[in-house]
Each structure stands twice: as structure tokens, then as C-alpha cells.
Amino acid sequence: MADDASSSSACTGNLIDNSINQDELIMKQQREIEKEISESIPLVGDLEPLSSLEKEYNEDPVYLLKIKDLTAKYKSMRRTRPDGNCFFRAFSYAYLEHLLTNKEEFDKFYEIAKNSKEILVALGFPQFTVEDFYETFMEVVQRVGEHAGGSPDELDSIREELHSKFNKQAYSDYIVVYLRLITSGQLQTQHDFYQNFIEGPRTVTEFCRQEVEPMYKESDHIHIIALSNALNAGVRVKYMDRGEGSQVIAHDFPDGVKPLVHLLYRPGHYDILYA
Amino acid sequence: MAEKYNTKCPGVKRLMREAIELAEATDEYCARPLEDNLFEWHFTVRGPRGTDFEDGIYHGRILLPKEYPMHPPHIILLTPNGRFEINKKICLSISGHHPETWQPSWSIRTALLALIAFMPSPAEGTIGSLDYTPAERKALAKKSTSWACPQCGDVTALLSSTAAKPPTEEEQTVLNQIAFKGEEEQVKPPAEPVPEPQNIEFTPQVMESSDSTTSFLDQLTEILVALLVGAIGIFIYRRWDAFATSESTEL
């Protein structure tokens, strides 16, 4: 094997070029496979018991211990498609779902949502397209508002409607886009504060253009902090990874606000948790 | 057209709004969907002032992916211009980044303004780019005004004298970052009749350009195939060599 490696360095440039091509082909194929797997998972899945996680890790003692810890506080979960938009999709689904049973919180959120467009336009986002996303977003929000605090039957039917909207690619993505815009707006309005979170020489605006506004870009702490602050909506994220200990560590955003949305983080992905 | 599409679908609603926004032609750009296809548009842009393209009027197609506006539109230039290959899909990207940096809050207007702004930038061997001399580009620009699209007619009649809404400061910074480059694979020839230039003098120009595109691609494919065959050859040779040395007695 070692011999193979050393001899290949003596090969012609042609062969090296070719191997780069091969690498690119393999990577392209890899991406396509990932895309295919990802697309076979619903944008937002049905409610399932946490025991489904155990099956996933049934030969992994580290994860099994942590799942046990998790089941002490949560009973079920809802998986989301791992397409880079999962934080935004999981958050908006869980938050709107919660608002159905919390009219007071809904009214507070509605005011913030209603005023969000003006903030974005004032920041220089193109009015024409912001309006487009805003309208579709508010259409869904208003449907939630019409039924918030309603009878159990009413809630069941609106939950179904919400679920179906979130699983229609176009609608679902429009909601994600608008939340990305709100997040970007928050980062830019408070840029002095958020600049500290950004590594490297990028400005907050550049960071927003490259990491927040484009679709499929994964969310980091900074995205969660900004969005939860912009909406003043509490999120608890349970971090489950291969780290030491048997406990799943929780982080609340923003600090000190009662969490209404509970998310499960596994490296690179967010799902929704239910007590 | 409305009855053909589900107007509840956000992407369709969006394109219809864009069609209304762009309905009135300006002196710099205009674009409108084809009569029978909301996902294919034709556009016309005036070459940017103070450049080799300033006398030119360029026409082309915009192909909207079904995921629009989540994915960027593709642009195909039909008028020979000396900067971009014609009949070839080119797409937007932020300079130095991947095409996924397209933002859903951009629009067809953004794409057209960015295209105009990007025309004078150096070709630098990017796929889909042409590096014609200033004189050639100027000559093509002059000829471009007599070019006509079989669907839209005379290109000079498509632009109006209405001044275009100037880009905002924010928009301008975005526009300066957008780059265009060709896609790896060649676009299939358009389904509709290939535009026939009215001006006879013009014909060879068009033929030549599209011919050179195909032959270039053919060559590229040939080179790639040759490389692959070569690599396999070397691989087999090396294996054979190893085999031969270890089992030399039998050979």
C-alpha cells in the first residue's frame, strides 16, 4: 500500500488531473446520494415515541445512556428533513404548534411578526420580495391565530392543516426564508453585539449574506440566539453527542426566557422534542 | 395564463408578481414570461454605458427552476456578444462562492441588473465566458441592434425610453458581488425554433459561434475520455507490472 502511494507521486500530471476528476465525481455522487436520502425524509415528520431513537442507536452505549436521560423529560419527537434548514423548520413548526394553545403568547408574537417587514425594508432588503415572503408567512400565522385557544376538535383540524402546509415544499420553504430574513434583520440591527460571535474577518452583513439568508445553510448558535431574541421566543436545545457523561446538556435561548420550544440537537441536525 | 397554474403555489404567485413588476419596459432592461410558459421568460438588456457593449442590445432566455425562488434562475444569451457564449446556460453566483449563495429575496430584476453589471468583467477562462477583443465586441454590439427574436420581434422595439428604477445602495453592493458562469453540461437546443437573424450578413456569425461551442465541448469530452482511458491503462499496466515481477517465473 505504501509502495502504491509513493509510486503514484511519480506519475504523470495527466493521471493526477484525472484522479482529481475522480474525486470530484465521487464527491458529486456522494452529494447526490445524500440529497436522495434527505428527500426521502418528510420535511416535518409525524409524532413518534422517543423509543424510536433507541432503535437507531441500539448498539451504542454512549447514546443509549443519553436517550435514557432524555426520556426522563420527554416522551416523543418529530423528525425534520436534514436539508440545512432543519433548525428554522423545526423551530417554526414547534412554535406555531405551541401558539395554538397559548393565545397570549400568540398575540405577543403576532405584533412582532406584523412589524417585522418594516424593519427588514428599512434595513435595505428589497421590498418587493420581502413582501412576497411576508404575505405567505403571515397567511400561515393568521390561520394559527384564528384557531388559537379553540376547542380540541378545532385544534386537531388546524394541526393537520399546519402539518400539511409544512410538508408542502413551497409553503414550508417560504416560512424558512422569512425566518432567515428575520434572523438576518436581528443580526444586522444589533451588529455591534453579534460581531463578537463571528469568527474571522467577516462583517455581520457579509455573514448574513453567506450563512443566514441563503437556503440550506446550517444554523449555528448565533442563528438561534438571533432568532429567539428577535421573536422573544424561548427555545431549549438539548445537545446529544458523543461527549462524556450520561446527561444530555440543555441550553436555553434567550437567557432567562421560559422555553416554549424544545429541540433535540445531534451533530448537524435538529428535531423537535415533546414532553 | 393564470388558469394553467396553481396560483396558490407561492412560486407561481411570485412569478406572476414579478411579471407585473417587470411588465413595463425600461431603457435598460425588460423581461416577460412566454405566452404559454410562466417558467420561461425572454429578456432584453442594454449594454452597460462606457463599455465595449454600450451600443449593444442583448436578448436571451431566462429559465426558472421549479423550485424558484429557492434556486436561482438560469440565463441563456441568444445575441452574439463576445462576452458570453450564446445558447448556453449561465448561472449566478456570488464571486468566489458557490451558487447556493443565491438568495430567495433576489429576483429576476436582480439577475438582469447583475448581468448588465457583470458584462464588462474579464472572462478569465470561466466556463461559458468568451474573451473577444474590444473591437470584436464593439462590432457585435453594433450588429446586435438588427437582431430579432422569432417570438419577441425586433430587439430595439422591446426597450422603452422610461428610465429604469435605479438600484438602491444595498442592491448595488449585492450586484457588485454577483458573478455569472456557465454550467458544466451543454444546454439542449431550445425546443422552439432557433432564432433566425433577419440580417443575412449576420448569419455566419451566429453559426460560427454556436459551432465553436459544440466543437469545443466535443473536444473537451474527447480529452476527458482520453484521460480516463489513459488512467485505466496506467492502472492496468502497474497491476500487470506488479503481477509480472511477483510471478516472473511463470511468465
Side-chain angles (χ1 to χ4, degrees):
Chain A
M1 210 49 218
D3 194 54
D4 264 2
S6 61
S7 67
S8 76
S9 63
C11 286
T12 59
N14 276 355
L15 187 67
I16 290 165
D17 266 353
N18 196 268
S19 68
I20 290 170
N21 272 337
Q22 293 280 355
D23 280 354
E24 272 176 9
L25 277 176
I26 291 166
M27 269 163 66
K28 192 170 167 235
Q29 201 181 13
Q30 182 76 25
R31 277 199 299 271
E32 274 162 13
I33 292 169
E34 277 167 14
K35 193 165 168 258
E36 226 177 277
I37 293 172
S38 153
E39 280 172 3
S40 68
I41 299 170
L43 291 166
V44 183
D46 290 327
L47 210 57
E48 46 186 299
L50 267 193
S51 54
S52 75
L53 273 180
E54 283 171 20
K55 280 177 214 143
E56 217 175 304
Y57 295 105
N58 64 8
E59 277 173 25
D60 191 324
V62 179
Y63 269 100
L64 283 179
L65 265 177
K66 294 198 171 176
I67 294 167
K68 208 173 154 215
D69 178 48
L70 209 58
T71 42
K73 293 195 182 78
Y74 298 96
K75 286 195 182 62
S76 41
M77 68 182 295
R78 217 185 266 281
R79 293 169 196 268
T80 64
R81 180 182 293 178
D83 63 355
N85 294 318
C86 55
F87 164 69
F88 290 103
R89 218 174 314 258
F91 170 82
S92 50
Y93 187 102
Y95 190 48
L96 289 175
E97 210 181 16
H98 171 81
L99 294 182
L100 279 173
T101 55
N102 188 346
K103 184 80 169 106
E104 199 185 325
E105 177 81 9
F106 175 86
D107 292 339
K108 191 202 84 191
F109 164 71
Y110 186 76
E111 277 309 300
I112 296 172
K114 213 175 63 183
N115 298 328
S116 59
K117 189 184 80 185
E118 303 309 318
I119 298 173
L120 292 174
V121 172
L123 276 168
F125 284 97
Q127 172 142 15
F128 171 69
T129 50
V130 166
E131 227 157 65
D132 184 43
F133 297 114
Y134 171 80
E135 277 171 21
T136 302
F137 178 74
M138 288 309 276
E139 203 181 288
V140 177
V141 169
Q142 263 149 11
R143 287 295 290 157
V144 169
E146 283 163 23
H147 299 279
S151 68
D153 279 355
E154 194 183 340
L155 288 184
D156 277 349
S157 99
I158 182 75
R159 277 199 189 102
E160 237 168 72
E161 184 184 321
L162 205 59
H163 191 74
S164 122
K165 279 227 161 77
F166 265 87
N167 277 296
K168 283 201 180 87
Q169 186 88 49
Y171 263 104
S172 207
D173 284 353
Y174 256 58
I175 293 168
V176 170
V177 170
Y178 198 67
L179 289 182
R180 284 182 177 278
L181 291 178
I182 291 180
T183 308
S184 171
Q186 172 74 12
L187 289 168
Q188 293 186 55
T189 330
Q190 312 275 329
H191 58 90
D192 285 342
F193 173 69
Y194 289 107
Q195 184 70 62
N196 305 315
F197 293 80
I198 295 169
E199 285 168 32
R202 282 192 278 188
T203 67
V204 170
T205 313
E206 281 164 351
F207 179 82
C208 287
R209 293 234 168 89
Q210 292 161 9
E211 307 293 340
V212 183
E213 291 160 34
M215 289 293 276
Y216 319 112
K217 288 280 184 181
E218 286 181 15
S219 296
D220 231 320
H221 266 187
I222 183 170
H223 298 74
I224 306 178
I225 296 169
L227 183 62
S228 60
N229 269 296
L231 301 178
N232 193 25
V235 189
R236 173 167 294 170
V237 182
K238 299 285 275 183
Y239 289 88
M240 189 162 83
D241 57 23
R242 209 163 277 288
E244 268 179 47
S246 59
Q247 304 246 303
V248 185
I249 294 157
H251 270 285
D252 287 354
F253 306 95
D255 240 351
V257 175
K258 183 178 179 252
L260 303 174
V261 168
H262 297 254
L263 302 179
L264 170 64
Y265 175 84
R266 284 174 288 165
H269 186 62
Y270 295 88
D271 292 306
I272 309 171
L273 284 171
Y274 295 89
Chain B
M1 188 190 287
E3 64 275 12
K4 221 182 107 176
Y5 296 96
N6 178 3
T7 48
K8 282 231 168 111
C9 171
V12 168
K13 215 161 72 183
R14 160 78 174 255
L15 283 173
M16 291 194 162
R17 292 176 73 145
E18 291 205 41
I20 294 167
E21 195 214 14
L22 291 168
E24 201 186 326
T26 70
D27 61 344
E28 282 173 42
Y29 58 84
C30 72
R32 61 161 184 242
L34 296 186
E35 296 264 324
D36 58 349
N37 186 359
L38 186 60
F39 287 81
E40 177 170 350
W41 292 39
H42 274 212
F43 72 89
T44 311
V45 294
R46 188 183 299 280
R49 282 176 226 290
T51 70
D52 300 336
F53 308 99
E54 71 177 339
D55 293 328
I57 293 177
Y58 305 95
H59 192 72
R61 305 161 66 202
I62 302 170
L63 304 181
L64 286 316
K66 67 176 195 307
E67 299 89 354
Y68 185 80
M70 301 306 149
H71 293 180
H74 295 283
I75 287 179
I76 296 173
L77 275 153
L78 298 173
T79 317
N81 53 80
R83 174 61 184 85
F84 293 109
E85 285 178 40
I86 58 166
N87 297 320
K88 186 164 175 134
K89 250 194 225 178
I90 51 174
C91 43
L92 302 93
S93 63
I94 300 252
S95 331
H97 289 88
H98 297 289
E100 62 256 35
T101 39
W102 158 263
Q103 291 171 25
S105 60
W106 295 349
S107 60
I108 291 174
R109 178 171 173 271
T110 319
L112 290 180
L113 288 174
L115 177 72
I116 298 171
F118 194 69
M119 278 190 88
S121 69
E124 286 171 343
T126 332
I127 302 165
S129 285
L130 297 172
D131 208 0
Y132 284 26
T133 63
E136 284 170 314
R137 285 176 173 177
K138 280 180 190 158
L140 285 172
K142 287 224 164 61
K143 277 179 185 168
S144 70
T145 53
S146 51
W147 197 88
C149 169
Q151 275 141 319
C152 313
D154 250 337
V155 287
T156 42
L158 294 172
L159 294 174
S160 78
S161 54
T162 318
K165 189 172 73 184
T168 61
E169 202 181 311
E170 283 290 321
E171 255 182 322
Q172 196 54 55
T173 52
V174 166
L175 294 177
N176 295 339
Q177 294 173 341
I178 298 177
F180 287 83
K181 63 174 191 182
E183 282 203 329
E184 300 287 338
E185 80 274 357
Q186 203 195 5
V187 186
K188 287 189 191 105
E192 72 271 350
V194 176
E196 270 180 43
Q198 279 189 333
N199 191 331
I200 295 170
E201 214 185 65
F202 209 36
T203 316
Q205 201 69 43
V206 176
M207 300 298 289
E208 205 179 279
S209 290
S210 51
D211 267 354
S212 73
T213 314
T214 18
S215 67
F216 171 70
L217 268 155
D218 283 347
Q219 263 178 15
L220 198 73
T221 322
E222 270 174 38
I223 292 168
L224 283 177
V225 168
L227 280 178
L228 205 68
V229 169
I232 293 168
I234 291 170
F235 184 74
I236 291 173
Y237 172 75
R238 282 185 40 216
R239 287 283 135 171
W240 177 258
D241 215 12
F243 179 72
T245 36
S246 64
E247 312 253 329
S248 51
T249 45
E250 276 177 43
L251 284 162

